Amino acid sequence: MPRRLITGVVTRDGASKTRRVEIERLVQHRTYRKYIRRRTICYAHDEDNVSRNGDLVEIEESRPISKLKRWRLVRVIKQHVAGVPLPDSDSGLITEAASETSAE
């Protein structure tokens, strides 16, 4: 049986060899038919510490490695560029305010 492959965004990289990966999906509300954002949090094993916060990564299902880790990092699809806000964050407001003060 092939192992599941999922792509997600690294949200924490503080621990050595462990990454917190968020997988976002859209689910339609039963009654109102409006789409709602839902997320799943997975802890992945990163043997070489190659991923950083904000990176888009591909993880694969594996045997239990620790209490929470059930996934392994396969590859970094896209590296996060410093200064560019994460896809989930509302830091666009902060960058606009910062650019207004720098223009003065």
Side-chain angles (χ1 to χ4, degrees):
M1 179 178 223
R3 296 184 176 185
R4 291 190 301 169
L5 288 172
I6 298 178
T7 59
V9 178
V10 176
T11 54
R12 287 192 190 156
D13 64 349
S16 178
K17 298 186 181 184
T18 302
R19 300 294 178 257
R20 182 179 184 243
V21 180
E22 284 189 9
I23 297 117
E24 245 190 34
R25 64 187 192 280
L26 290 175
V27 177
Q28 194 175 35
H29 192 279
R30 289 181 186 170
T31 307
Y32 301 116
R33 302 292 182 212
K34 182 177 180 179
Y35 283 95
I36 306 168
R37 252 177 235 242
R38 295 287 182 196
R39 67 179 178 182
T40 302
I41 296 171
C42 300
Y43 289 88
H45 183 69
D46 182 5
E47 183 65 35
D48 301 324
N49 289 322
V50 293
S51 61
R52 297 285 170 244
N53 271 354
D55 289 354
L56 184 67
V57 294
E58 185 176 50
I59 57 176
E60 108 177 314
E61 196 174 27
S62 71
R63 64 179 179 79
I65 299 167
S66 68
K67 179 182 174 183
L68 296 174
K69 285 198 284 187
R70 305 293 192 266
W71 297 86
R72 230 176 341 162
L73 183 90
V74 177
R75 66 188 175 110
V76 176
I77 297 171
K78 186 178 178 185
Q79 289 187 339
H80 176 70
V81 180
V84 178
L86 292 175
D88 301 336
S89 67
D90 295 328
S91 60
L93 301 173
I94 297 169
T95 55
E96 288 174 12
S99 64
E100 288 174 8
T101 48
S102 64
E104 293 175 1

